[in-house]
């Protein structure tokens, strides 16, 4: 009996120890998870990546809230619930139109920059071919991947694409552009401002040259990065098609707009009901996000001059702070992009013989930004934009893109500049 009891006690003892060990381990894991979260939250690196995406402006979230909590109607419904959301979508259309200085009916809402580019390029290329006007497209080597990939796809469909080179500042030459036009050219797509180096192209000049060559040519510009940062008016630029991405101007992600000049027809990309977006983009409108984009457009329109000025002030302060703290090592620093024709918020800089990825990793507790090259399984990948401007490798590998936003403070700029240097 004594043997049985001690065996029982032994098993219980082992069981008790196991339970103790498992509970302790669980607690430790939980604790370390929370410690990680808490320290992660407390660290909150300063955000200098506004070209990747922006925060949502408080007035934008405020405008969207009633359409999350209260107004749920389908804009296509004839009753009052539908009328409320329909009116909200139309108000947003007018707000975007005011920012671009175009007519409200020339604005089509869709899911963002990428869809807008796809619709513009594929829709225009296909309609031009149906009309037997030609099969040649002109774009540039520094376009966003959404344009480059769409052009590659169009090449598989029998289109010929010219990818124009840029100079060391990221500018396309007018002469090159003129020379690349042929009697087959039906579509041009040149970005307004580059997302990496910020260079702004003189789109109105390219439009003039293209239209002078042939009035049949359709001109699209990807203005995802310029709208909201600088004045971008379609009447001044003269394009037929212009892309906006909501999350670059303090609206949410997943919403965008395409300006389609009155009279321009595009082949449809998304099929379905004919009553949405004047038959141009089927699918029940994303009322909440569209309202957000409208409000963001109104804010940008109302405050454009101050926004541009304050972004520029912070960008230049950031640059001079880094230069100042580098002191006698200043010559390892190189500014990329055009010194004047550049987005007011974008500072793209290279440090000679410095690894940009490692630098950002070391600064990750202080600063969130982007670099111009990335390491993928021991292979270094330099961005297509830096390759196009022929930045020497010893600089390209040490490239950082620092982009300010309207919430960026002077104090953040000074601290960021000091940390980087
Ligand atoms: C210049 C440019 N075009 C297009 C896009 C794509 O926009 P979205 O993210 O809304 O699809 C971006 C986004 O990074 C961009 O910077």
């Amino acid at each position: 009996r004594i043997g049985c009891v001690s065996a029982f006690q032994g098993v219980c003892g082992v069981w008790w120890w196991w339970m103790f060990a498992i509970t302790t381990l669980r607690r430790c894991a939980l604790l370390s998870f929370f410690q990680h979260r808490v320290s992660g939250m407390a660290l909150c690196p300063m955000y200098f990546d506004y070209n990747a995406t922006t925060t949502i402006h408080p007035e934008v979230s405020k405008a969207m809230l009633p359409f999350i909590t209260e107004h749920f109607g389908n804009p296509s419904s004839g009753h009052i619930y539908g009328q409320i959301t329909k009116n909200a979508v139309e108000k947003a259309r007018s707000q975007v139109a005011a920012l671009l200085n175009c007519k409200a009916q020339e604005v089509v809402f869709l899911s963002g920059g990428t869809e807008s580019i796809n619709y513009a390029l594929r829709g225009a290329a296909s309609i031009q071919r149906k009309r037997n006007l030609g099969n040649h497209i002109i774009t540039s080597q520094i376009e966003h991947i959404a344009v480059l990939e769409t052009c590659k796809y169009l090449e598989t469909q029998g289109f010929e694409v010219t990818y124009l080179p840029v100079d060391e500042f990221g500018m396309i030459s007018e002469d090159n552009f003129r020379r690349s036009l042929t009697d087959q050219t039906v579509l041009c797509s040149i970005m307004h401002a580059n997302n990496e180096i910020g260079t702004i192209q003189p789109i109105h000049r390219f439009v003039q040259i293209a239209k002078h060559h042939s009035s049949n040519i359709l001109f699209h510009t990807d203005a995802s990065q310029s709208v909201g940062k600088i004045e971008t008016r379609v009447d001044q630029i003269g394009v037929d098609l212009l892309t906006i991405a909501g999350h670059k101007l303090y609206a949410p992600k997943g919403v965008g707009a395409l300006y389609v000049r009155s009279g321009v027809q595009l082949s449809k990309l998304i099929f379905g009901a004919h009553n949405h977006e004047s038959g141009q983009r089927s699918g029940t409108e994303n009322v909440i996000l569209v309202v957000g984009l409208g409000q963001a457009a109104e804010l940008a329109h109302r405050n454009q001059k101050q926004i541009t000025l304050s972004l520029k002030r912070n960008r230049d302060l950031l640059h001079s702070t880094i230069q100042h703290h580098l002191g006698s090592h200043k010559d390892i620093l190189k500014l990329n992009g055009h010194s004047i024709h550049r987005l007011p918020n974008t500072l793209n800089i290279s440090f000679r013989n410095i690894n940009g990825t490692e630098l950002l990793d070391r600064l990750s507790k202080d600063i969130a930004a982007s670099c111009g090259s990335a390491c993928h399984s021991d292979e270094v990948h330099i961005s297509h934009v830096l390759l196009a401007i022929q930045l020497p490798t010893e600089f390209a590998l040490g490239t950082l893109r620092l982009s300010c936003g309207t919430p960026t403070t002077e104090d953040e700029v000074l601290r960021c500049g000091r940390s980087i240097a």
Side-chain angles (χ1 to χ4, degrees):
R1 232 182 66 201
I2 290 168
C4 277
V5 168
S6 61
F8 176 73
Q9 281 174 340
V11 169
C12 285
V14 169
W15 176 81
W16 189 86
W17 272 109
W18 270 113
M19 287 308 289
F20 176 75
I22 288 168
T23 318
T24 314
L25 276 171
R26 268 204 199 141
R27 275 197 195 134
C28 286
L30 218 61
L31 200 67
S32 81
F33 171 77
F34 277 118
Q35 269 168 354
H36 178 75
R37 298 290 297 202
V38 169
S39 64
M41 302 278 278
L43 286 174
C44 241
M46 294 175 286
Y47 190 69
F48 278 88
D49 208 8
Y50 282 89
N51 281 8
T53 196
T54 61
T55 45
I56 297 178
H57 193 288
E59 279 194 43
V60 170
S61 358
K62 197 172 147 204
M64 283 164 33
L65 196 60
F67 296 90
I68 301 172
T69 55
E70 220 181 312
H71 307 307
F72 61 91
N74 185 330
S76 300
S77 303
H79 47 63
I80 183 70
Y81 295 99
Q83 274 166 27
I84 292 172
T85 49
K86 170 115 183 106
N87 289 345
V89 169
E90 294 319 314
K91 180 180 170 196
R93 208 183 300 285
S94 306
Q95 287 166 316
V96 172
L99 177 66
L100 300 178
N101 207 27
C102 66
K103 294 181 222 139
Q105 63 268 30
E106 292 175 316
V107 175
V108 179
F109 289 119
L110 20 69
S111 70
T114 302
E115 187 190 329
S116 177
I117 289 164
N118 269 266
Y119 178 40
L121 300 195
R122 290 165 64 182
S126 141
I127 204 111
Q128 297 285 66
R129 183 153 61 189
K130 265 190 215 147
R131 293 173 179 153
N132 277 326
L133 291 173
N135 72 338
H136 179 231
I137 298 168
I138 299 175
T139 187
S140 84
Q141 290 177 359
I142 61 164
E143 297 296 309
H144 188 268
I145 193 83
V147 169
L148 295 176
E149 284 295 310
T150 307
C151 285
K152 264 198 223 159
Y153 165 75
L154 288 170
E155 280 182 286
T156 68
Q157 302 302 300
F159 286 91
E160 271 183 36
V161 183
T162 301
Y163 299 88
L164 290 172
V166 292
D167 66 14
E168 61 177 306
F169 308 110
M171 296 296 274
I172 297 165
S173 122
E174 279 186 24
D175 281 346
N176 258 354
F177 178 76
R178 191 178 287 105
R179 276 197 298 270
S180 66
L181 291 159
T182 72
D183 59 353
Q184 286 295 303
T185 309
V186 284
L187 174 64
C188 301
S189 185
I190 309 273
M191 74 195 319
H192 192 199
N194 184 265
N195 43 309
E196 286 189 39
I197 55 174
T199 299
I200 299 170
Q201 306 292 340
I203 299 296
H204 65 285
R205 282 292 303 141
F206 298 131
V207 174
Q208 275 169 5
I209 296 167
K211 297 282 177 185
H212 183 252
H213 180 83
S214 160
S215 56
N216 286 329
I217 295 177
L218 290 175
F219 208 113
H220 167 255
T221 190
D222 173 7
S224 303
Q225 289 291 347
S226 55
V227 171
K229 296 184 184 109
I230 54 170
E231 193 180 57
T232 307
R233 291 175 45 160
V234 288
D235 57 326
Q236 283 172 356
I237 305 178
V239 286
D240 303 296
L241 305 157
L242 180 141
T243 286
I244 301 183
H247 69 115
K248 312 288 182 181
L249 71 145
Y250 310 94
K253 293 155 209 26
V255 65
L258 177 66
Y259 157 76
V260 184
R261 190 170 55 74
S262 296
V264 171
Q265 273 196 326
L266 301 174
S267 293
K268 254 181 111 156
L269 193 66
I270 309 277
F271 292 91
H274 297 292
N275 56 330
H276 302 130
E277 297 296 300
S278 348
Q280 300 207 66
R281 202 273 189 178
S282 299
T284 303
E285 295 85 346
N286 194 332
V287 179
I288 301 163
L289 302 190
V290 162
V291 165
L293 178 55
Q295 186 60 37
E298 185 179 320
L299 289 169
H301 185 45
R302 204 192 302 152
N303 307 314
Q304 190 63 80
K305 279 204 172 73
Q306 299 97 291
I307 292 174
T308 308
L309 274 177
S310 86
L311 288 175
K312 188 175 177 306
R313 200 178 315 118
N314 277 337
R315 179 201 68 185
D316 292 344
L317 180 63
L318 184 55
H319 191 194
S320 59
T321 307
I322 297 171
Q323 282 174 320
H324 170 74
H325 287 286
L326 280 177
S328 57
H329 300 291
K330 245 197 330 247
D331 61 325
I332 69 160
L333 185 67
K334 186 180 182 320
L335 174 71
N336 301 315
H338 199 281
S339 59
I340 298 162
H341 305 299
R342 187 164 43 112
L343 285 175
N345 75 321
T346 306
L347 183 66
N348 188 302
I349 43 174
S350 298
F351 297 92
R352 193 179 57 226
N353 295 330
I354 298 277
N355 184 318
T357 319
E358 277 175 24
L359 178 62
L360 274 192
D361 279 351
R362 276 174 56 188
L363 293 172
S364 62
K365 286 192 180 131
D366 297 332
I367 299 163
S370 291
C371 46
S373 59
C375 237
H376 299 297
S377 47
D378 288 345
E379 254 182 56
V380 179
H381 168 84
I382 296 174
S383 89
H384 68 286
V385 177
L386 300 184
L387 288 175
I389 60 170
Q390 301 190 353
L391 190 65
T393 314
E394 70 265 30
F395 279 106
L397 296 179
T399 300
L400 301 187
R401 178 188 71 178
L402 301 157
S403 43
C404 305
T406 49
T408 308
T409 63
E410 193 179 310
D411 177 57
E412 283 179 317
V413 167
L414 294 172
R415 283 194 287 140
C416 173
R418 202 178 324 124
S419 301
I420 289 175

